[in-house]
Structure formats: structure tokens, C-alpha cells
Amino acid sequence: MLGLVEGFADFSASSLNYLSGWLSDQSGKRKVFALAGYGFSTLAKIILLVTSSVVGLSVFRVIERLGKGFRGPPRDAWLSAVAEKANRGYSFGVHKALDKTGAILGPLVAYGLLRWLGDEASTFRILFWVALVPALLSLVVLSLIKDQPGTKHRRENMADTWKTLSPQFKRYLITASIFSLAYFSFGFLLLRAHSVGFAVKDIVLLYALFNISFVVAAPLVGKLGDRAGRARIIMLGYLIYVLMSLGFCIRNRENGRSSCFFVIYGVFYSIDEAQSKAFIADIELERRASAIGVYNFVTGIIYLPASLIAGALWLVHPASAFILAACLAFFAILAFVTVRPDLHRVSGVFPG
């Protein structure tokens, strides 16, 4: 059930990505689409206030992710337009760090309320009201920011737009697709923590720890990518995921050691969330919103079978899900080294 719900949530998040990116590139508008996506996610939170059934919560997850999918490509293209290439990785890292800061404060507030009021339905209802307030405030703040329009492109359908995307981006999409099969829902990591002895309130703290790791790592990793090259950072992220997956294979009851894996995952996530978009902005100069939309759309589609496979393997043996993830992530590294999406091809070969 977890694999199904989270898989469809990721799929819904990606389903509108290509559409929103394509619309943004065609019109040259960024802000209006980003604002619409944030507004959609905010309205979805109201569902949590009226139902606590599995169906209701599943609908919330899917609808909320639809808003995320619609806002992502226009917003990231907007950011890439105002960030110079020399510090683009750092800019994306700072953006994601600020984005995740609220994800640190939120779990800490949740932990305090759960500890104070207990693990009751009324407590969760209070939590949902608390979460709605900053979501509404974010819409107000975003509406006050000056837009940074992109270049309008001639009218073309989405199939024509795909044909114009750079060969480097399409090669990167191959490696990202392979890796996406290994990239199942974060919920499985939390479930793994619960299975080795963490209480529900402590799992909330693990989520906060993961986000702290992300916030600290994102700007540093971005700066490192600007200096060392983003291709190396992408491969480093895949390698970190391999090591982390192997670590979760061990049924470790030492809370300190288990917590370290959530810190490691935060470092990986800072690379995947921020540097992958910066890398796409480097190799796709003309239609960045469309390219980011295609990337999110394709990887999001693959997340659905990835989470379903992880859920099925979990029923057989939880460690097997992480073993498969480690193997697929390793193959993604090999694919990246083989196709080299960071380089131009000349007459079928790579330049030295």
C-alpha cells in the first residue's frame, strides 16, 4: 500500500511537469505558473482537515504532488535565468536549502505537539492547521516577487519541442532513468527505521535530521559542483546512494548508526534535488523549462514501478529492496561514464 500510494504521488508530481515547462517556454512566463503550482498544493492541504481515511489521505498526496509538478520547471527555469553559470550550482543549492529549512522547523513543531498532546487524531488535526498557515503566507510572498520572463519561442507542439532538446540532455535522461528505478519513496526509509525500533515521535526527529543534513550540504555541494564540475557531483550522488542503500540492508538496532544513514541520505538528496537541475540548465540553453519538465516527467513515471517493486520486495525480505537499489544505482554510474552527457559529440566521438 505504501509503494502504491507513494508511487502514484510521485507519478502525479511528474505528470504535469512537461506540460508546465512547455507552456512556460512557449509563453516566456515563469511566475504565473509557479504561483499556480504553489496555490494548488496549498488548497490540497484542506483535505487533511476533513478526512483521515486511507482514500482521503491518498487523494491529498496525489493532488498536493500535482501542484509540486506544475510549479517545478517554470520556477527552476526562472532561477537558472537569474543565476550565472559560474555560481549556478551554489544558487540552486541555496534555494533548496531555504526550501528545506521549513521542513526542519515543521517536524520539530510536530514532535513537540505529539510529545505534549499525545499521538491522537485531534493532535494531527492541529498539525494540519499549523501547516496551512505558512503555505498561505508563501503565496503572498511569491506574489510580491518581480517576475523574470524567459524568451518566447515560436508556436510548436510538445513533440517538436522534444526534437529540439540537446543531445547531451537526452543522454543524461538515459542515466537518470536507470537511476530512477533505484529511487523508491523516502517513506520506505522511515518504515525501515520503525522496523528496527524507532518510535513514531523519534521517526519525526529522523525526518528533521535528514532535512538538517540537506540544508547544510546543499550550498556546499553546489559550490563544489561549480568548481569541480557538475558531472562529477552527479556521479558522486549516485555513489552515495549505493553506499546508503547497502547500509540500510543491515538491520541495525544502534540508533546512532542508523541515524547516520539519514544524514548521508540528506547529502545525496541535496545533489539530486539541486545539482541535477543546475546540470540540465548547463546542457540545455534554449528550452530549460521544457527540459526540466521532461526530466521530472520521465523520472516520475519510473518512480511508480520503482516504489511498487520496492513494496513487493519488502514483503519477501526488506533488505532485498535496498540491495536492488544499490545495484541499479551502480549501473547508473556505469551508464553516465559511458554516454558522458556533459560532453559534446563530434562525428560520433567525444572530444578530448
Side-chain angles (χ1 to χ4, degrees):
M1 178 63 73
L2 177 64
L4 184 65
V5 171
E6 291 299 303
F8 269 110
D10 288 328
F11 174 76
S12 66
S14 66
S15 61
L16 296 180
N17 268 271
Y18 190 18
L19 175 62
S20 66
W22 176 76
L23 289 172
S24 180
D25 280 338
Q26 290 294 295
S27 64
K29 297 179 180 179
R30 309 299 192 201
K31 178 179 176 178
V32 63
F33 294 108
L35 192 61
Y38 279 109
F40 202 38
S41 294
T42 299
L43 291 176
K45 288 178 172 57
I46 298 175
I47 296 175
L48 296 175
L49 299 173
V50 298
T51 180
S52 60
S53 67
V54 172
V55 174
L57 297 180
S58 300
V59 170
F60 157 74
R61 283 287 291 156
V62 171
I63 294 179
E64 197 274 337
R65 294 294 85 183
L66 283 172
K68 175 181 173 61
F70 196 78
R71 69 179 179 253
R75 181 202 59 205
D76 291 338
W78 185 2
L79 178 58
S80 68
V82 299
E84 296 181 359
K85 185 176 181 180
N87 62 359
R88 184 172 292 146
Y90 179 69
S91 300
F92 271 87
V94 170
H95 165 256
K96 292 298 181 182
L98 292 173
D99 183 53
K100 278 292 182 183
T101 299
I104 296 173
L105 299 177
L108 292 177
V109 171
Y111 176 80
L113 288 174
L114 288 169
R115 189 178 179 88
W116 177 34
L117 301 175
D119 188 3
E120 305 292 340
S122 58
T123 304
F124 283 99
R125 190 170 293 108
I126 294 174
L127 286 176
F128 300 149
W129 274 111
V130 170
L132 184 61
V133 174
L136 292 171
L137 289 176
S138 70
L139 293 176
V140 176
V141 173
L142 183 60
S143 66
L144 299 177
I145 298 176
K146 183 179 180 181
D147 196 4
Q148 184 73 25
T151 302
K152 292 183 180 181
H153 294 283
R154 63 180 179 82
R155 295 186 62 84
E156 58 187 12
N157 58 42
M158 288 190 284
D160 292 333
T161 298
W162 163 257
K163 295 176 183 178
T164 63
L165 297 178
S166 69
Q168 298 99 293
F169 167 72
K170 293 177 181 177
R171 294 201 300 271
Y172 176 53
L173 197 60
I174 295 173
T175 65
S177 298
I178 295 173
F179 180 74
S180 295
L181 284 171
Y183 198 1
F184 49 72
S185 171
F186 181 63
F188 284 102
L189 304 186
L190 300 178
L191 187 62
R192 184 63 166 169
H194 187 266
S195 70
V196 299
F198 282 88
V200 173
K201 60 182 179 63
D202 295 326
I203 290 176
V204 173
L205 287 181
L206 285 178
Y207 183 61
L209 179 65
F210 151 72
N211 284 303
I212 291 173
S213 173
F214 179 100
V215 168
V216 173
L220 299 178
V221 169
K223 181 66 71 174
L224 179 62
D226 290 333
R227 295 180 178 180
R230 260 177 285 284
R232 292 187 178 94
I233 295 298
I234 297 296
M235 288 188 284
L236 175 63
Y238 291 170
L239 179 59
I240 292 174
Y241 195 83
V242 170
L243 299 177
M244 182 211 68
S245 297
L246 293 176
F248 272 104
C249 290
I250 304 172
R251 188 176 175 82
N252 197 331
R253 293 186 178 275
E254 295 183 21
N255 288 355
R257 188 175 301 177
S258 298
S259 300
C260 287
F261 292 126
F262 282 87
V263 174
I264 295 172
Y265 187 80
V267 176
F268 154 75
Y269 199 64
S270 69
I271 296 174
D272 183 72
E273 277 289 288
Q275 299 312 304
S276 60
K277 307 303 190 302
F279 182 63
I280 292 173
D282 289 344
I283 60 180
E284 179 56 55
L285 304 180
E286 294 297 325
R287 292 169 173 80
R288 286 170 174 163
S290 296
I292 293 173
V294 170
Y295 170 85
N296 290 340
F297 176 69
V298 172
T299 56
I301 289 177
I302 298 174
Y303 290 157
L304 176 56
S307 288
L308 290 176
I309 292 171
L313 289 175
W314 192 283
L315 297 178
V316 178
H317 193 277
S320 62
F322 296 102
I323 293 174
L324 177 63
C327 292
L328 289 170
F330 180 74
F331 283 129
I333 296 175
L334 296 180
F336 196 101
V337 173
T338 301
V339 303
R340 292 304 301 270
D342 55 318
L343 299 180
H344 291 274
R345 271 181 170 170
V346 180
S347 299
V349 299
F350 294 111

